[in-house]
Amino acid sequence: MIDTNVADVGSTMPGVESTSGKKSLGANPVARIALRLGAILGLCAIGAIGLFAVIGLWSGAASATSPIDGLWLTSDRNAVVRVGSCGPRICGWIVRVSGRGSNAAARDSNNPNTGLRTRTIVGMPVLTGFSADGNQFSGGQVYDPTSGRSYRTTLSLNSDGSLNVTGCVLVFCQTKRWTRMR
């Protein structure tokens, strides 16, 4: 605790002698406020340093790799999806589409949002908003560019290294197994 009655600030401010022989700031309200403000600012600086340290640790944890980060071949073998962090969440983007003649879509032509129908499939987000809980990932969605629909989804890493992608509509769910690219 800082004693605001003791003037040990190294200045020549007029003070009043106390019983202990030290100069007191008792009658000088400006000096008392300045000393208290200095103490408050010092505590704020310590708090700010602590806050920046916590933010640094939190952002490091958010950007840490998850066990599903990497490249995944979809179950129909038509696309490769890169999974990685997107802020504090986990997302996935199409990085390659198999070129099976004219059937390989180049644009998101089935999207219900007409403004997005011209975007390219490669680079498009297909997994969004997942949170990790061990080898389970929930709270996200998968977008299917073939149908133009999004589904509530969970992801789970299997012991053999494959990834179950389970999309649900109401209570009806379907699971697809993706294979990690090496």
Side-chain angles (χ1 to χ4, degrees):
M1 192 76 178
I2 297 175
D3 183 3
T4 57
N5 290 324
V6 177
D8 189 18
V9 291
S11 69
T12 57
M13 286 191 269
V16 179
E17 285 290 323
S18 70
T19 56
S20 65
K22 295 183 180 175
K23 288 189 175 187
S24 172
L25 300 177
N28 191 339
V30 174
R32 290 179 69 101
I33 291 171
L35 190 56
R36 283 188 179 156
L37 184 59
I40 291 170
L41 291 176
L43 291 175
C44 288
I46 292 170
I49 291 169
L51 179 63
F52 287 125
V54 168
I55 289 172
L57 291 174
W58 176 73
S59 65
S63 64
T65 61
S66 77
I68 62 170
D69 283 4
L71 298 174
W72 295 90
L73 181 64
T74 59
S75 59
D76 62 6
R77 305 180 73 75
N78 284 335
V80 175
V81 176
R82 180 181 59 84
V83 175
S85 65
C86 54
R89 303 284 182 178
I90 297 169
C91 299
W93 303 265
I94 294 178
V95 294
R96 189 169 59 225
V97 177
S98 297
R100 294 186 176 162
S102 60
N103 292 340
R107 305 265 177 216
D108 188 16
S109 58
N110 295 318
N111 196 308
N113 181 340
T114 56
L116 296 177
R117 289 183 182 167
T118 58
R119 70 178 173 172
T120 59
I121 296 290
V122 174
M124 181 176 64
V126 290
L127 299 173
T128 55
F130 291 89
S131 296
D133 184 17
N135 286 339
Q136 302 291 319
F137 303 84
S138 60
Q141 292 187 2
V142 65
Y143 173 72
D144 177 11
T146 306
S147 67
R149 296 183 143 192
S150 294
Y151 304 95
R152 179 176 40 92
T153 304
T154 58
L155 308 172
S156 59
L157 187 61
N158 300 313
S159 60
D160 67 356
S162 63
L163 183 69
N164 280 348
V165 180
T166 304
C168 299
V169 175
L170 299 174
V171 295
F172 303 102
C173 299
Q174 184 177 20
T175 299
K176 301 286 185 174
R177 184 173 285 224
W178 291 6
T179 308
R180 188 182 293 273
M181 301 283 293
R182 303 235 186 255

